[in-house]
Amino acid sequence: MISDERLTVYLHSLDAGNGAFCDAMEREARASGIPIIRKETAALLKTMVTLKRPERILEVGTAIGYSALLMAGVMPETAHITTIEKYEKRIPAAKENFRRAGMEKTITLLEGDAGEILAGLSGSFDFIFMDAAKGQYIRWLPDLLRLLAPGGLLMSDNVLQEGTIAQSRYAVERRERTIHERMREYLYALTHSEELETSVLTVGDGVALSVKRAVPRKTIQGEKL
């Protein structure tokens, strides 16, 4: 969420692209008004997947499959992505994009309500990417924590809501207040959870990176300075 437009334009100029297929997807999505992750968020997503090298990835919010394909392009060859989408009009496009990219066996698309699907999932995931209904993040968090493996990374997109997250709930439009309140609750839960170590970044529209602790948090004791 960089306010200096010139700096944003410069950073975008450094983007090396994501290959002909994904670049064409991006152009078409932006021209059609289909919501996909921002360029700077896409770069961070690829970097984190490359760093983490997850074998099992869970994505909540497929849309047309753009971010799933970005992850597929940098994850280990043996890795698998499970992605969830509820919006019926976008599901056929996502499936077709996975097929055309030769990733239909690497990416499994689960159709339906994310809350219901998450509650029914078992096992664990090394990497979870959240990019769905923002007002539902806090409701899904217990299942996300259950499904996230120790040492796993939860990456949550759009957590700063164009900067309005820092405003009083009375300063945002009435129709946005419920989402505003729930997102603030979600960020508080992430940053105060004993299970997680979280950093909130002003990248794109805000990204929270949360690592599930493999060992309990330690309190450093020492002499007073």
Side-chain angles (χ1 to χ4, degrees):
M1 192 180 62
I2 300 172
S3 58
D4 189 330
E5 184 177 349
R6 291 175 300 176
L7 184 54
T8 301
V9 171
Y10 169 68
L11 292 176
H12 286 184
S13 74
L14 298 177
D15 183 57
N18 298 296
F21 187 77
C22 285
D23 287 347
M25 281 183 65
E26 180 187 9
R27 289 192 298 270
E28 182 178 345
R30 300 200 191 284
S32 303
I34 297 172
I36 59 173
I37 57 176
R38 303 186 186 192
K39 281 185 177 293
E40 51 269 43
T41 310
L44 179 62
L45 177 63
K46 292 189 300 177
T47 300
M48 298 314 297
V49 172
T50 302
L51 176 66
K52 182 61 184 172
R53 295 188 59 79
E55 286 294 329
R56 296 191 71 202
I57 296 175
L58 174 63
E59 176 185 50
V60 184
T62 314
I64 59 171
Y66 178 66
S67 52
L69 288 175
L70 292 184
M71 291 189 285
V74 295
M75 70 186 189
E77 291 186 4
T78 54
H80 188 87
I81 298 174
T82 299
T83 183
I84 303 171
E85 180 58 50
K86 180 179 179 180
Y87 190 36
E88 294 180 357
K89 292 184 178 180
R90 295 204 178 112
I91 290 173
K95 288 183 175 180
E96 177 62 11
N97 285 328
F98 296 155
R99 185 196 66 79
R100 292 176 59 200
M103 291 291 177
E104 66 269 36
K105 293 183 179 179
T106 302
I107 304 173
T108 299
L109 196 160
L110 303 179
E111 306 174 31
D113 180 78
E116 295 177 2
I117 292 174
L118 289 171
L121 287 178
S122 59
S124 62
F125 294 87
D126 311 304
F127 192 102
I128 299 178
F129 181 50
M130 288 290 297
D131 189 23
K134 309 307 175 283
Q136 302 302 316
Y137 281 18
I138 186 62
R139 293 184 175 180
W140 297 335
L141 185 56
D143 279 316
L144 297 176
L145 292 177
R146 174 179 61 82
L147 293 167
L148 188 62
L153 176 64
L154 167 62
M155 180 172 173
S156 308
D157 195 17
N158 300 117
V159 297
L160 297 184
Q161 301 180 321
E162 303 291 346
T164 62
I165 198 70
Q167 300 176 1
S168 162
R169 70 184 301 269
Y170 299 106
V172 300
E173 295 184 22
R174 184 179 296 272
R175 61 187 176 86
E176 300 291 338
R177 288 179 183 173
T178 298
I179 295 177
H180 178 271
E181 181 179 356
R182 290 180 179 177
M183 184 56 76
R184 292 188 74 155
E185 185 180 353
Y186 180 70
L187 288 175
Y188 186 90
L190 292 182
T191 54
H192 288 75
S193 171
E194 289 294 324
E195 295 184 69
L196 300 172
E197 192 65 40
T198 296
S199 177
V200 182
L201 309 178
T202 56
V203 173
D205 190 27
V207 174
L209 298 177
S210 305
V211 178
K212 188 172 183 179
R213 290 180 167 278
V215 295
R217 179 183 282 117
K218 297 179 180 178
T219 300
I220 303 300
Q221 302 289 347
E223 296 181 2
K224 293 183 179 180
L225 298 179

